[in-house]
Amino acid sequence: MQRTPNLFGGQLEDLDRRRKARQQHDSETLERLAIRAGLDPKTAALLAMNLAPSHKTEWTFVMISPEQNAAVVQWLAEHSKRPQKAVLLWSILFTAMRSDTGEILRSRGELAERIGEKPENLSRIMTELASINAIVRRKEGRRTRYFMNPNIATHIPTPEQRAAARDAAGPLLVLMQGGKDRNAAPPARSPSQGL
């Protein structure tokens, strides 16, 4: 618990911070219990979100690396089996993410409806996005949860929390061209290969 000095030499407790930490803990507990009780995971997440402390600020935008976004869009345009729908889905995922965790809260059916695609094809596009680590897939029993990769896009408020999320999410997106990393140094030539 953080205490700050006051004018009279004593310490003041940051009660608001303590209250928000308790609300966050209670929210996460509620979500786990609701799922264990058989509630639909999406409904459980929305229920928990109502209990979670508000992280609202006047800044309502998602932080995203322009280079990473361009790399995802370019990869989808060049390699997706449904490039137009895939790029459209990528843009819509930013409106469907939980602002404090990056979890995608819309169901497969809802997302499919929004892009005018069949649910099974939407799953294939999500698999493509996960294959390049643009989104992170977490399997929990029979349930799969999707999150925006915090290396690419995030609402996480502090640099420390963003660093922890990046470490947990895995490596940044690496585009491959012809089976080779575009950023890799060329292989060294042996003297016998000549110039």
Side-chain angles (χ1 to χ4, degrees), residues 131-171:
S131 76
I132 59 171
N133 211 15
I135 61 173
V136 178
R137 184 178 9 208
R138 293 190 191 146
K139 198 87 165 134
E140 297 175 359
R142 299 170 80 191
R143 178 177 171 223
T144 302
R145 296 169 71 185
Y146 291 95
F147 296 81
M148 296 301 285
N149 184 330
N151 286 308
I152 297 173
T154 186
H155 256 88
I156 300 171
T158 68
E160 297 81 17
Q161 290 171 322
R162 286 193 295 274
R166 282 192 302 269
D167 290 345

Side-chain angles (χ1 to χ4, degrees), residues 184-195:
R189 293 178 164 257
S190 69
S192 63
Q193 286 179 308
L195 296 173

Side-chain angles (χ1 to χ4, degrees), residues 23-164:
Q23 279 181 309
Q24 183 65 38
H25 173 74
D26 290 348
S27 170
E28 292 167 3
T29 302
L30 174 63
E31 184 175 2
R32 282 192 305 275
L33 291 173
I35 291 168
R36 194 179 308 157
L39 197 62
D40 165 301
K42 181 185 132 209
T43 306
L46 291 172
L47 180 66
M49 201 164 62
N50 288 329
L51 183 61
S54 173
H55 296 290
K56 290 184 181 174
T57 63
E58 290 190 24
W59 184 260
T60 59
F61 301 98
V62 173
M63 293 175 276
I64 182 166
S65 158
E67 294 81 12
Q68 289 292 301
N69 186 55
V72 171
V73 170
Q74 182 179 353
W75 189 92
L76 291 172
E78 293 174 3
H79 301 286
S80 176
K81 293 189 180 192
R82 296 164 189 79
Q84 289 181 324
K85 297 293 184 173
V87 170
L88 180 57
L89 175 62
W90 174 245
S91 68
I92 286 173
L93 290 178
F94 293 99
T95 68
M97 67 184 267
R98 181 172 164 172
S99 64
D100 59 338
T101 65
E103 182 176 7
I104 307 303
L105 293 177
R106 298 291 175 257
S107 71
R108 182 176 82 146
E110 289 171 313
L111 290 170
E113 186 177 317
R114 286 187 69 185
I115 67 169
E117 189 57 85
K118 295 177 183 175
E120 56 272 12
N121 289 339
L122 183 114
S123 294
R124 291 181 182 108
I125 297 169
M126 292 293 274
T127 298
E128 291 174 344
L129 288 168
S131 76
I132 59 171
N133 211 15
I135 61 173
V136 178
R137 184 178 9 208
R138 293 190 191 146
K139 198 87 165 134
E140 297 175 359
R142 299 170 80 191
R143 178 177 171 223
T144 302
R145 296 169 71 185
Y146 291 95
F147 296 81
M148 296 301 285
N149 184 330
N151 286 308
I152 297 173
T154 186
H155 256 88
I156 300 171
T158 68
E160 297 81 17
Q161 290 171 322
R162 286 193 295 274

